[in-house]
Amino acid sequence: SEAHPYAYELLTAKSAGYLPDNVGMVSPGSTVSGAEAAVAINNILGFKPVEGINVSGLNIPGWAKPPASVLLDLDMATAGLISKSKLTVSEALIFVNAISTAKMFEGSPYALAQKSLKDDFYAYTNRKYLANATIAPGYLSASTFSDVDILVKNQLNTILGGILENKALKEGSDEWKINELYQMYMDTGARSKNINNLKTYIDEINAVESIEGLLALAKKQAKYFDYMPFYSLSVNADAKKDATKYSVIVLPSPLALGSKEYYTDMAVVQEAYKKYLSSLLTFAGESENTSGRANAIFEIEKARSFKILPPEKLSDPNTLYKASTWKEMLEITKTTNSLTYMPELYSVAKSLNIYCPNTEYIEFAESLYTKENLRALKDYAILSVISGCAPMLGDDCLGLKDELNNAIFGQTGGKEPLGQRAQNFVSKYMSKAFSRLYYEKYGSPEIKKDVLEIVSSVKNKYLERVAALGWMSGETKKEALTKLDAMKAQIAYPDEPLKNTEYEIKPRVDGGNLIDFYINYCDTSYSALLDMLTKPVGSSFWESLPTFMVNAFYSSTDNSIVIPLGILNAPFYNKDAPREENLGAIGAVVAHEITHAFDNNGSQFDKNGTITNWWAPEDYKKFNALTKKVSGSLSEVNFTGSLCVNGELCTSETISDLGAMSCILDILDDSPDANLNKAFEAWSSIWACRMSPELASYLLSIDTHPPSKLRVNFILQHIPEFYSSYRVTEKDGMYLPEHKRIKIW
């Protein structure tokens, strides 16, 4: 009947071949079986039957069993659902939602595809993830990392729930502060009014009539807002002279759009960015020519994009720590005198060594302070006030960036619900308190001991491997082994309890609000920075690093690896998992961080964290040839659309992945019965990921890590054991000729 609401859709599906003739009569009044739905779904997928999937027990026609094998293999439907002779509407929607999810990322390198293990190891081993994972609210992509991050957030939510239920919190305690901040965030009405608390700052900016007046105001508010947004002072360990002391690095501020390409080639992104800037100005209370003012800001940002060093250059330690002097930097910045805006900080910092990787850029930034640019510079200052306090403002501020995010990132998970955003807020500003509460509840000496044993196993194997290197001389080996032996490990949580947070919170009942809290937070953080700079660089990262972080890293200036408790969750780590799986996951993460000490950047630091050439000249020449081979091979990979990988940008992370898997497999080779396949598959599983084509393209331009898919396929192509374990030959897509395979560590 033409009057039936789904007649057109059914006829369209039939004509497209999704409902073939052998399914039977299809009309708006017909019932649909699970078998028929399975055929329709797989016709949309276009996949071949999957061998090894038992469909003999399904009570369905023979013509439905091949497509049923596909859905069962991908976990898109259960055997019971496929066997149903008549689907209810809700059951039919399960099939509809399954295909909608599976087809979600068409055009992306992370789209679901039916590939064999030997042709695309990543796509095959992660096929269930690529068919079913969806992007959670608050995230740009779906990934194993985001999955574990959500798990950790749920654990933090349990901790938070206990605090919120406690009616006898001691005023001033960390738990009391958490409760106060949470309730302030949850009060959406009060947050909406916080824009009024910023009006004084905005009016003060608008009242400025000269560059001199703006700079005076920038100095006055320097602790709270960045009215000088083009570069900043970064406090780091002094890697050039003495890594136990602090130094100052003058660094360009990040580009709002990430990389130069988005200011030159991406018209849709550029227009969305200008609209966003205009909407922020309007939100701040501005009404006059906001579009024209947004365009002026864009033009300055575009000009900055041509002056900033690309990220692959800034990652080179010798570029980052390019020596300067306070005399030189004060001369370069004499237009603004920004380095002396905070007198207490300057009085301490001027005794420290100062570095600047790109003085030409700083000179350019200083040249922006002209009368002609005054309106744009004042608008930058207004935007600094809004962006600095954005988390404390009303929910009407949240949607302003949606169009820009969609243009840059494509499909995302959207916004998190209010309660989760409130939790995120308090866990950020009370991170030290949550860090302590998290390891007290979810940490254990057993976990810490077990992971330390994995670290020891990896480190010992690395000592053997370095000693056996054929391309390195004994002189350089001795230095490498000394550095490796001296390497420290910070695992799970600190050995000593963390102190309470020091900043104060005015109670809500006394009129306390998030803006007042922010000002106190900045004051306290500033005092803590001044105190820190008078002391040696600390050996513990836990004062500023949350134990609930789902990540890991290597510190070149401390020569230590850090594995927080947050990442010690499945599938990265599971105390009950087979040894091969833990080694292929968290073991490889540990080995990856250790290898960073010997990548193209980390290899420039000695055992004490100081940039030192400990290499024999001929060895370093060989090492550089190998690293260039890595970057060259990566740059040949066409990853998404017409975009290739920036091999130079991703070299250090790829070297670390190569070294990690080689080391882990070497450990497993010591056990004759070890199942190497479990290690390979565990490695692949921790990089499971789904994202839009837009986000995949964006990450190629800014991320020092190679794409997740390449962290599996590209790496395994260089591992000899992979070929023997899966009998990969030159006929297979995963095959790489032996002369192209790279082995460094």
Side-chain angles (χ1 to χ4, degrees), residues 173-184:
S173 67
D174 277 352
E175 288 80 357
W176 179 87
K177 291 175 182 177
I178 287 170
N179 180 69
E180 285 293 304
L181 287 178
Y182 182 85
Q183 301 300 345
M184 287 181 191

Side-chain angles (χ1 to χ4, degrees), residues 199-434:
K199 185 171 174 53
T200 301
Y201 299 101
I202 295 171
D203 289 347
E204 200 174 27
I205 294 167
N206 277 327
V208 165
E209 296 180 348
S210 66
I211 290 293
E212 293 73 21
L214 179 61
L215 295 175
L217 190 58
K219 181 175 182 179
K220 175 184 174 182
Q221 303 295 352
K223 279 197 292 184
Y224 313 112
F225 303 109
D226 187 8
Y227 293 178
M228 284 280 305
F230 305 122
Y231 59 85
S232 61
L233 298 182
S234 175
V235 175
N236 298 67
D238 190 347
K240 271 286 189 180
K241 302 293 183 181
D242 182 353
T244 66
K245 297 179 180 178
Y246 287 102
S247 66
V248 173
I249 306 180
V250 185
L251 285 173
S253 300
L255 294 167
L257 298 181
S259 69
K260 182 173 69 175
E261 291 75 13
Y262 285 83
Y263 293 91
T264 55
D265 303 330
M266 308 286 287
V268 173
V269 172
Q270 292 165 24
E271 287 308 307
Y273 178 49
K274 293 173 189 177
K275 287 182 182 179
Y276 170 61
L277 293 173
S278 178
S279 66
L280 277 180
L281 290 170
T282 302
F283 180 79
E286 300 297 299
S287 58
E288 184 179 345
N289 189 25
T290 57
S291 294
R293 289 156 66 177
N295 190 67
I297 294 173
F298 172 80
E299 291 300 329
I300 290 176
E301 287 295 292
K302 181 178 180 180
R304 285 207 313 127
S305 74
F306 285 91
K307 299 292 183 178
I308 287 179
L309 290 174
E312 60 267 27
K313 300 298 182 185
L314 274 178
S315 64
D316 182 348
N318 275 304
T319 299
L320 183 64
Y321 284 91
K322 182 181 177 183
S324 184
T325 64
W326 281 97
K327 181 179 180 181
E328 178 189 24
M329 294 311 302
L330 289 172
E331 175 63 23
I332 290 173
T333 59
K334 65 183 180 182
T335 298
T336 64
N337 292 314
S338 60
L339 302 188
T340 63
Y341 274 4
M342 293 184 273
E344 303 94 341
L345 177 59
Y346 175 64
S347 67
V348 176
K350 66 183 180 181
S351 64
L352 307 175
N353 289 320
I354 188 168
Y355 303 94
C356 182
N358 189 2
T359 53
E360 292 82 2
Y361 169 82
I362 307 301
E363 290 171 344
F364 162 76
E366 290 284 302
S367 74
L368 294 172
Y369 285 82
T370 63
K371 183 179 180 180
E372 292 73 21
N373 286 336
L374 180 59
R375 180 66 261 177
L377 295 172
K378 288 166 64 173
D379 287 339
Y380 266 108
I382 291 172
L383 295 180
S384 173
V385 172
I386 298 299
S387 59
C389 293
M392 297 90 171
L393 301 177
D395 286 357
D396 50 347
C397 187
L398 281 176
L400 298 180
K401 206 173 184 179
D402 286 353
E403 185 177 344
L404 177 59
N405 285 341
N406 290 338
I408 298 177
F409 306 128
Q411 182 175 349
T412 68
K415 298 175 186 64
E416 291 178 296
L418 177 62
Q420 185 58 61
R421 286 187 278 116
Q423 178 186 308
N424 296 345
F425 179 82
V426 293
S427 63
K428 173 184 176 180
Y429 285 95
M430 294 292 295
S431 63
K432 193 189 295 187
F434 270 103

Side-chain angles (χ1 to χ4, degrees), residues 571-640:
F572 292 99
Y573 169 76
N574 181 351
K575 64 181 179 62
D576 299 319
R579 178 170 176 266
E580 296 95 331
E581 288 184 19
N582 272 334
L583 282 174
I586 198 63
V589 170
V590 167
H592 171 95
E593 302 308 336
I594 288 177
T595 312
H596 268 312
F598 304 100
D599 67 25
N600 55 315
N601 297 323
S603 60
Q604 298 181 53
F605 294 80
D606 65 15
K607 66 175 183 176
N608 299 314
T610 304
I611 296 174
T612 307
N613 185 5
W614 46 268
W615 292 75
E618 194 59 33
D619 293 335
Y620 201 60
K621 184 177 179 181
K622 293 175 184 176
F623 177 68
N624 276 333
L626 289 169
T627 63
K628 288 185 184 305
K629 195 172 180 181
V630 170
S631 63
S633 296
L634 282 168
S635 296
E636 293 173 359
V637 179
N638 186 308
F639 187 68
T640 177

Side-chain angles (χ1 to χ4, degrees), residues 14 17-26 33 35-40 43 60-67:
K14 184 87 169 176
Y18 296 156
L19 300 171
D21 292 336
N22 64 1
V23 171
M25 194 69 180
V26 176
S33 68
E36 290 170 331
V39 171
N43 281 343
I60 57 175
W63 48 260
K65 289 185 176 181

Side-chain angles (χ1 to χ4, degrees), residues 171 176 180 183-184 505-513:
E171 185 168 338
W176 179 87
E180 285 293 304
Q183 301 300 345
M184 287 181 191
I505 297 175
K506 186 178 181 180
R508 287 173 294 128
V509 294
D510 295 335
N513 62 75

Side-chain angles (χ1 to χ4, degrees), residues 519-554:
I519 296 301
N520 183 268
Y521 173 85
C522 292
D523 283 332
T524 306
S525 299
Y526 181 61
S527 297
L529 173 63
L530 295 177
D531 181 62
M532 182 186 78
L533 292 179
T534 63
K535 299 174 181 177
V537 176
S539 59
S540 173
F541 293 86
W542 302 114
E543 286 295 317
S544 58
L545 181 78
T547 60
F548 53 85
M549 177 183 283
V550 183
N551 211 333
F553 64 92
Y554 169 75

